[in-house]
Amino acid sequence: MTHPAHRIVELAPDDDLFPSWCQVWAAAGRDARPDDPPRPAQEHLALGRELLAPGGSRDGTHRAVLVDGAVAGALRLVLPLKDNPSLAVVDLAVHPAARRRGLGSALLAEARALAAALGRTLLVGEVDEPGPGAPGRAFAERHGWSCDLVETRRELALPVDEDRLAALEDAAAAAGAGYELVTWRDRTPEPLLSDRALLERRMTTDAPHGDLPVGEEEWDGDRIREHEGTHLARGRTVLSAGAVAGGRLVGFTDLQIPLAQPVLAHQGGTLVLREHRGHRLGARMKAAVLRELAAGFPEVRRVSTYNAEDNTPMVAVNEQLGFRPAGVLSSWSARL
Ligand SMILES: CC(C)(COP(=O)(O)OP(=O)(O)OC[C@H]1O[C@@H](n2cnc3c(N)ncnc32)[C@H](O)[C@@H]1OP(=O)(O)O)[C@@H](O)C(=O)NCCC(=O)NCCS
């Protein structure tokens, strides 16, 4: 490993260097998945502003590694404030042209020092692995991180086969008689807000998390509104469907569409409360948002989703809809 002369600097979303910092992520994204539009700078900008604004549910800080004055690598550290007080989430990337020269390791050392100074003792990070040999895996292993969760990414080519979708809708409607299906866009209807918060909390306990040492998250209506605002600020619209029984929201699914380049939509969370499982509500809600997607955004070509392989019911729904495997997302952790 040769170590070029480099310098690590702190930066903020409105600094002159920030656009180059965003370009590192875009270049890393294009390198890993050439067919996907890279995350637009607006996403990093909005997230960055949210992390630095007081009063939110998480804090954060940004660093760039400079070589000859140019940004060659990017680090974002995210610190939950309402739960998981020992946790720091590490997000880092090095420009493909500047790799294997120790810059990633320098940024990781910086992340460890920052986290320790902020009183955090547990680091977690994710690695996108489109196929075997993804650099992030070798890097994480080299630094002694443990792989706690592997989720399969699946993609659905659009439009969905009409017969397949109609068959699934019919079966799901029959199994879920007694549940009302509701849809909304971007803003959870006020009467369902506190139920929606409970569902988000359950996402952190009920969805399989492998060995990831993260705890239950604290969600209330205000945090849901903050979360919704972040999506809008990032330039995403969110199509949601929910299942209602006795006036209470007992399940939801979210589908996010990046508006600047609406080519690839991202499946967000999907959850049905334990006591309401077994009625095919997950399938019914997912079919409903796919209908909304086709009606409102016919230009979207693909949907991506992530599932732990032991999440059998969710994987089965996705396979029925026609989702097919497209690599994995691994989650890693290290103790300080
Ligand atoms: C992972 C990443 C940050 C590594 O950056 P980097 O500057 O190349 O990392 P380093 O030069 O410090 O690598 C340190 C060691 O990690 C291992 N490593 C890194 N990339 C590797 C690769 N492609 N193949 C095998 N080993 C690799 C090696 O042991 C390397 O030491 P060596 O070069 O002396 O053999 C970079 O590849 C990247 O941005 N990937 C995409 C984003 C990502 O996966 N981020 C990590 C998630 S938080």
Side-chain angles (χ1 to χ4, degrees):
M1 198 192 293
T2 57
H3 292 266
H6 66 263
R7 186 156 74 86
I8 293 180
V9 295
E10 180 174 3
L11 77 171
D14 295 298
D15 291 350
D16 292 346
L17 275 182
F18 203 74
S20 318
W21 186 90
C22 295
Q23 279 167 20
V24 169
W25 295 105
R30 276 191 292 267
D31 180 67
R33 292 191 182 266
D35 295 336
D36 290 2
R39 279 173 86 180
Q42 190 188 343
E43 295 218 359
H44 296 290
L45 199 61
L47 175 58
R49 287 183 181 147
E50 180 209 314
L51 295 175
L52 296 188
S57 59
R58 41 193 193 165
D59 267 354
T61 186
H62 307 77
R63 296 291 183 276
V65 60
L66 305 182
V67 176
D68 295 332
V71 181
L75 165 69
R76 170 171 46 221
L77 203 65
V78 178
L79 310 159
L81 296 178
K82 299 220 185 280
D83 46 58
N84 289 288
S86 56
L87 181 67
V89 181
V90 179
D91 220 356
L92 76 87
V94 171
H95 193 287
R99 291 186 182 164
R100 302 303 290 272
R101 290 189 258 156
L103 299 178
S105 299
L107 282 174
L108 187 58
E110 178 78 4
R112 294 178 71 98
L114 284 169
L118 293 162
R120 306 277 163 153
T121 52
L122 173 66
L123 301 181
V124 301
E126 289 180 343
V127 174
D128 180 29
E129 302 186 61
R137 169 170 287 270
F139 178 76
E141 283 172 347
R142 163 74 181 74
H143 286 283
W145 287 47
S146 61
C147 183
D148 296 328
L149 174 67
V150 177
E151 293 169 286
T152 303
R153 167 165 157 158
R154 284 184 174 74
E155 288 187 358
L156 176 65
L158 299 177
V160 188
D161 179 74
E162 178 55 36
D163 291 346
R164 190 190 272 270
L165 189 58
L168 189 133
E169 282 172 328
D170 288 348
Y179 291 89
E180 184 197 347
L181 198 86
V182 292
T183 58
W184 65 89
R185 181 171 165 183
D186 295 327
R187 199 176 155 81
T188 308
E190 198 64 37
L192 303 179
L193 191 59
S194 57
D195 291 340
R196 176 70 183 78
L198 174 69
L199 292 167
E200 201 64 47
R201 177 191 286 269
R202 290 283 164 266
M203 279 296 292
T204 63
T205 54
D206 291 14
H209 285 85
D211 298 323
L212 259 188
V214 292
E216 181 175 11
E217 293 181 0
E218 290 289 334
W219 284 83
D220 57 15
D222 288 346
R223 188 164 175 188
I224 293 289
R225 290 288 183 238
E226 177 193 337
H227 191 57
E228 291 172 345
T230 304
H231 285 308
L232 292 178
R234 288 168 73 182
R236 293 183 171 207
T237 192
V238 184
L239 305 180
S240 302
V244 175
R248 308 302 301 263
L249 186 70
V250 301
F252 83 103
T253 192
D254 281 350
L255 192 66
Q256 304 171 9
I257 304 151
L259 292 170
Q261 253 183 300
V263 178
L264 174 64
H266 309 281
Q267 178 68 58
T270 301
L271 185 122
V272 174
L273 291 179
R274 271 179 199 286
E275 53 275 33
H276 295 280
R277 293 186 191 156
H279 301 287
R280 310 217 61 196
L281 295 174
R284 198 163 150 208
M285 296 187 303
K286 282 201 155 190
V289 286
L290 287 173
R291 290 275 183 212
E292 299 279 313
L293 180 69
F297 300 89
E299 63 274 42
V300 173
R301 306 313 318 151
R302 283 178 291 143
V303 180
S304 69
T305 190
Y306 295 90
N307 299 111
E309 279 309 292
D310 57 348
N311 193 350
T312 321
M314 203 73 265
V315 171
V317 169
N318 288 335
E319 291 280 338
Q320 265 174 313
L321 283 166
F323 278 90
R324 295 293 171 256
V328 303
L329 181 76
S330 47
S331 295
W332 301 73
S333 69
R335 301 249 173 215
L336 290 183

